[in-house]
């Protein structure tokens, strides 16, 4: 048997099923589309759900894919074993009501034995206990002896996911030989050891589960198969694990080269090597699909993977940034199947470098906080860090719990792991309760789910703002309807529409729909599965019925303003690339009639000079009155022409390319001005950070800019009137007032200090001596904490060596201060502990360092008691 490489096997699989009439589709993004039930795509069938449910009509009834997938359910085991990983590629062939069991089983056998060349005598299928049909196909059509076909129960050979489509499955196992076995008597298919490896799973979707355990036959039966590409490579290349197949081994070796270690010589080292190898694959593919490291959702999954990899790099002794170098190996090994990796290479490297730098800061910050927690443990005389503190380090500061454990164990401390797990479970429970109840696609069920999937809408709004079409579907807010009456809210669907639906960041059109019998006001236009355009709004008068002929009129004013803002975002993106660099990538946008918002990848706040450069550049291209043209072309031709594509977006074979002179060229389905001069003006209103490595610009165009300047002019006039000066003198007047205020504040602080000192009188005669240490504990009237600190410094200087305790009440709030000199600390005096006890007397709390601490309280009447207790506390500390 030839030992094909990973890239060969991927190509062979897709070509084989193309020869069987399948449409080979490119891998979908790891980011689920219109599916809230998943954080990340985790199987080959997940992106195809709409085709299985009938919500969308598939491009062909036979489809094959190699889908990139991520599963993090076993993340804690990644690295510890050679079989666990978070990233994998899933080969699959799918039938939507076309072929069924006979073809699926026959083709899986043909591919494995005739195309790949696996030994037929080492292949063993399993079937569901009650699936005699599948058993007979394997036995009578493929020709396998009955004893080579294994019948398993529902847990192993029946696929279902709550309510919805489900069915039995047939898995194919490969006998890797005795060297991978457990050696136990009766070791066979289904054993937990590594000898019999499952390589293929054919799922026969033939039932519908109503959620109550009742199964009915589906009218349209489907095939959903899955075969892990890496698993197949393990079998074909006859290697120990997925970390030993050709492309992943090359990456693993790069890890070893950077770290200066050898794989297979030390268990702990191997754990780190495998973990880094796996996690950098996941991170590279996630970033290539536009996912950015954040503190929630899929962004948090990415951040966790990157930080775990960086942490294990430190364990291997790597002290410099290294993840981007490894990512380059991922790209070189996988770009044959995923060319977008090469296209987004620079951006991927930037994200990884930025996050790795950030993690180094996090590690250092976490070490400082952990050090303070250790001091607290020592002071309290305990050796166990509470689960709450360990979780705080993990959740708030991103500090890995295994690192916390390791550092503490070196100093003979431990973590309350049960308490940590409890805190973790409480967080998961909160997250689970926050999720909405959803349907099979993870979205809230709506009236639109009831519409026939064959209903679709043709968009004609590039050329028309008014169009006549036939009404195909009407809905109220809850039901399908034959007619909408005056006052009713609802949605109208037609065969052809000039209304643009919200997508690609551009907000949908508003306007009116008129028939001979009624007028409907369109408040928003939405796009639904299957290319349906829904006109959402309210009946203003009369009645509209299904099959009526309607005149659809888009609000010209709103559309033109939206187009100004949309075209400006194209100019803005190109200007940002010119000023900041090629790494700038669109991360999101919002285009409305009143403003535009543009989110982009960049790793620092823009300077005033950079913002000015970008704004000038955009306005130059507006004044240049560039022609805006549109071309329809193949996706590859569009990319070759230099058209910018939206990060992580999946495009069809034909795309729409919008060009603005020679300045900007982007793939875009939105509507635009005909000439950049129509935008009139462009003004940036704000620039801010919205996530790690993501900045946001908000801007205005055309009449919006003029209205903005009028508003600013009004505010300036109002400020001038309040300052009693001309608008041109406002800045000078404010500068003069600030200088005056600064002088007054300084005089005020000086007076407060004198008052505080006068209120003290001669306090030096109140010094006590406790076991040879001088103690000055006094109260003063109406002094805030800043004043107490100033007084404390003065009194400590006069005292020389010893302890100063001050208390004061101001506006009903108590302030306490403790200061302890070096010699007093050596005797055991500790300001932080001192203040903690005093604060409890006045009904408050606080703490601090050994030399200085402060606290607040609520009960001013107890200040004399606190002062009286100071000597007792000091004596207890030093004896």
């Amino acid at each position: 048997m030839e030992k094909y490489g990973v890239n060969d096997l991927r190509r062979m699989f897709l070509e084989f099923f193309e020869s069987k009439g399948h449409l080979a589709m490119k891998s979908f993004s790891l980011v689920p589309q219109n599916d809230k039930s998943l954080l990340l795509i985790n199987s080959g069938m997940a992106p195809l759900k709409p085709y299985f449910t009938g919500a969308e009509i598939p491009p062909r009834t036979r489809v094959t894919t190699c889908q990139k997938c991520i599963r993090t359910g076993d993340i804690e085991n990644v690295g510890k074993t050679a079989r666990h990983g978070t990233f994998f590629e899933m080969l699959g062939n799918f039938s939507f009501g076309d072929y069924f069991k006979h073809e699926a089983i026959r083709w899986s056998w043909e591919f494995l034995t005739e195309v790949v060349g696996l030994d037929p005598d080492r292949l063993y299928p399993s079937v569901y206990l009650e699936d005699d049909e599948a058993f007979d196909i394997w036995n009578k059509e493929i020709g396998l002896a009955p004893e080579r076909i294994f019948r398993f129960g529902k847990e192993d050979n029946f696929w279902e996911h709550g309510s919805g489509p489900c069915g039995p499955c047939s898995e194919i196992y490969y006998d890797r030989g005795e060297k991978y076995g457990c050696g136990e008597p009766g070791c066979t298919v289904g054993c937990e050891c590594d000898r019999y490896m499952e390589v293929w799973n054919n799922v026969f979707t033939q039932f519908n589960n109503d959620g109550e355990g009742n199964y009915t036959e589906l009218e349209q039966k489907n095939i959903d198969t899955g075969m892990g590409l890496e698993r197949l490579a393990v079998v074909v290349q006859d290697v120990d694990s997925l970390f030993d197949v050709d492309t992943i081994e090359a990456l693993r070796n790069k890890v070893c080269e950077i770290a200066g270690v050898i794989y297979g010589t030390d268990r702990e080292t191997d754990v780190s090597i495998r973990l880094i190898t796996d996690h950098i694959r996941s991170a590279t593919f996630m970033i290539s699909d536009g996912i950015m490291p954040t503190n929630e959702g899929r962004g948090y999954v990415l951040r966790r993977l990157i930080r775990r990899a960086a942490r294990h790099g430190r364990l291997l002794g790597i002290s410099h940034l290294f993840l981007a170098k490894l990512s380059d190996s991922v790209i070189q090994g996988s770009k044959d199947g995923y060319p977008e990796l090469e296209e987004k290479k620079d951006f991927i490297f930037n994200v990884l470098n930025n996050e790795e730098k950030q993690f180094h800061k996090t590690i250092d910050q976490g070490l400082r906080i952990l050090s303070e927690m250790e001091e607290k443990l020592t002071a309290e005389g305990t050796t166990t860090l509470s689960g709450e503190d360990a979780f705080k380090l993990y959740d708030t500061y991103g500090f890995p719990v295994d690192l916390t454990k390791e550092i503490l164990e070196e100093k003979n401390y431990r973590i309350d792991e049960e308490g940590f797990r409890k805190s973790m479970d409480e967080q998961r429970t909160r997250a689970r309760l926050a999720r909405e109840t959803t349907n099979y696609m993870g979205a809230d069920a709506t009236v639109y789910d009831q519409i026939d999937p064959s209903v679709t809408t043709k968009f004609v709004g590039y050329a028309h703002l008014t169009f006549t079409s036939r009404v195909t579907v009407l809905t109220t807010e809850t039901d399908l309807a034959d007619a909408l009456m005056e006052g009713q809210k609802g949605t109208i669907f037609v065969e052809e529409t000039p209304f643009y639906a919200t997508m690609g960041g551009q907000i949908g059109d508003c306007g009116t729909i008129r028939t001979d019998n009624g007028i409907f006001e369109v408040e928003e236009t939405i796009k639904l599965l299957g290319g349906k355009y829904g006109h959402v709004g309210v009946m203003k008068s009369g009645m509209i019925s299904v099959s009526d002929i309607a005149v659809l009129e888009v609000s010209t004013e709103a559309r033109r303003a939206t187009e100004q803002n949309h075209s400006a975002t194209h100019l803005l993106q190109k200007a940002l690339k010119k000023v900041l660099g090629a790494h700038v990538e669109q991360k999101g946008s919002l285009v409305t009639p009143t403003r535009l918002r543009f989110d982009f990848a960049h790793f620092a706040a823009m300077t005033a000079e950079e913002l000015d450069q970008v704004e000038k550049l955009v306005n130059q291209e507006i004044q240049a009155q560039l022609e805006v043209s549109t071309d329809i072309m193949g996706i590859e031709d569009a990319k070759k022409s230099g058209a910018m594509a939206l990060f992580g977006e999946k495009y069809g074979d034909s795309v729409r390319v919008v060009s603005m002179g020679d300045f900007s060229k982007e793939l875009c389905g939105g509507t635009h001005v005909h000439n950049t001069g129509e935008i009139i003006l462009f003004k940036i209103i704000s620039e801010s950070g919205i996530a790690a490595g993501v900045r946001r610009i908000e801007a205005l165009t055309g009449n919006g800019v003029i209205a903005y300047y009028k508003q600013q002019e009004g505010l300036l006039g109002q400020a001038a009137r309040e300052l009693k000066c001309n608008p041109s003198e406002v800045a000078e007047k404010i500068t003069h007032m600030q200088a005056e205020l600064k002088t007054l504040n300084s005089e005020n602080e000086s007076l407060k200090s004198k008052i505080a000192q006068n209120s003290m009188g001669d306090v030096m005669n109140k010094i006590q001596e406790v076991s040879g240490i001088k103690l000055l504990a006094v109260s003063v009237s109406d002094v805030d904490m800043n004043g107490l600190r100033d007084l404390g410094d003065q009194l400590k200087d006069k005292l020389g060596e010893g302890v100063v305790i001050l208390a004061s009440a101001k506006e009903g709030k108590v302030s306490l201060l403790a200061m302890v000199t070096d010699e007093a600390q050596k005797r055991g005096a500790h300001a932080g502990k001192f203040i903690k006890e005093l604060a409890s007397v006045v009904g408050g709390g606080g703490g601090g360092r050994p030399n200085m601490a402060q606290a607040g309280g609520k009960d001013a009447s107890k200040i004399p008691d606190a002062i009286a207790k100071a000597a007792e506390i000091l004596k207890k500390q030093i004896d």
Side-chain angles (χ1 to χ4, degrees), residues 116-273:
V116 177
L118 294 183
D119 182 354
D121 293 334
R122 299 173 74 170
L123 291 169
Y124 297 83
S126 69
V127 297
Y128 177 51
L129 204 60
E130 300 172 9
D131 193 355
D132 293 332
E133 182 184 8
F135 185 93
D136 287 343
I137 295 170
W138 281 113
N139 176 223
K140 295 173 182 175
E141 295 184 25
I142 304 301
L144 296 183
E147 60 270 17
R148 294 215 17 224
I149 308 165
F150 291 77
R151 288 183 185 262
F152 292 138
K154 206 168 189 181
E155 189 175 328
D156 296 303
N157 276 70
F158 195 95
W159 188 91
E160 61 184 335
H161 185 74
S163 59
C166 59
C169 61
S170 178
E171 298 172 330
I172 304 174
Y173 295 82
Y174 181 78
D175 180 2
R176 303 173 67 205
E178 291 183 11
K179 63 179 178 178
Y180 294 107
C182 57
E184 296 292 325
C187 174
T188 186
V189 173
C191 182
E192 290 297 314
C193 71
D194 291 334
R195 176 171 176 174
Y196 295 92
M197 178 179 279
E198 177 206 331
V199 290
W200 202 319
N201 188 11
N202 283 284
V203 179
F204 312 125
T205 312
Q206 62 188 97
F207 301 114
N208 184 69
N209 179 358
D210 67 359
E212 303 292 329
N214 301 310
Y215 298 89
T216 53
E217 286 272 345
L218 286 172
E219 198 171 309
Q220 176 183 298
K221 295 179 173 61
N222 303 316
I223 288 293
D224 159 23
T225 84
M227 175 164 58
L229 176 58
E230 294 86 353
R231 278 197 177 195
L232 178 62
V234 167
V235 166
V236 171
Q237 296 174 22
D238 192 24
V239 292
D240 287 350
S241 75
L242 67 93
F243 293 97
D244 303 299
V245 302
D246 60 323
T247 52
I248 305 176
E249 181 188 40
L251 176 59
R252 188 196 77 195
N253 290 341
K254 189 68 176 177
V255 176
C256 294
E257 177 191 320
I258 292 172
V261 295
I262 299 171
Y263 186 66
T265 57
D266 175 75
R267 185 188 178 281
E268 291 304 315
T269 298
D270 288 352
V271 168
S272 294
I273 293 168

Side-chain angles (χ1 to χ4, degrees), residues 678-710:
E678 295 172 31
I679 302 171
I680 305 172
L681 279 172
F682 173 79
K683 173 65 184 169
I684 294 174
I685 302 303
S686 67
E687 190 272 352
S688 59
I690 59 167
V694 181
R695 309 296 300 176
R696 170 172 289 173
I697 279 178
E698 300 203 47
L700 303 171
T701 64
N703 290 331
V705 179
I706 295 168
Y708 170 77
Y709 280 127
K710 276 184 174 285

Side-chain angles (χ1 to χ4, degrees), residues 22 114 170 177 185 257 322 342 522 531 597 648 652 656 680 704 708 711 804 826 847:
H22 291 64
E114 297 180 25
S170 178
E257 177 191 320
F322 71 100
E342 182 72 35
V522 181
R597 189 178 77 203
R656 192 166 178 266
I680 305 172
Y708 170 77
Q711 181 192 39
V804 175
K826 290 175 185 176

Side-chain angles (χ1 to χ4, degrees), residues 779-807:
S779 63
V780 292
S781 301
D782 204 32
V783 179
D784 60 17
M785 187 58 77
N786 288 333
L788 282 189
R789 280 195 292 267
D790 290 341
L791 272 178
D793 287 335
Q794 295 170 28
L795 292 173
K796 190 173 68 169
D797 289 341
K798 289 182 181 179
L799 191 66
E801 286 292 342
V803 176
V804 175
I805 303 296
L806 294 176

Side-chain angles (χ1 to χ4, degrees), residues 84-103:
H84 287 95
T86 58
F87 177 83
F88 62 96
E89 298 177 55
M90 184 62 78
L91 301 166
N93 58 289
F94 308 92
S95 165
F96 310 109
D98 191 321
Y99 62 85
F100 203 47
K101 293 181 185 179
H102 291 272
E103 295 87 347

Side-chain angles (χ1 to χ4, degrees), residues 468-471 514-516 545 547-551:
T468 302
S469 187
R470 188 178 69 86
V471 176
R514 300 172 186 269
T515 68
D516 290 343
S545 304
S547 296
D548 279 357
I549 300 302
V551 177

Side-chain angles (χ1 to χ4, degrees), residues 273-289:
I273 293 168
R274 286 192 291 262
L275 183 143
I276 294 168
T277 301
D278 169 78
H279 284 12
I280 193 60
R281 293 180 76 215
S282 291
T284 299
F285 276 90
M286 289 175 78
I287 298 168
S288 79
D289 279 337

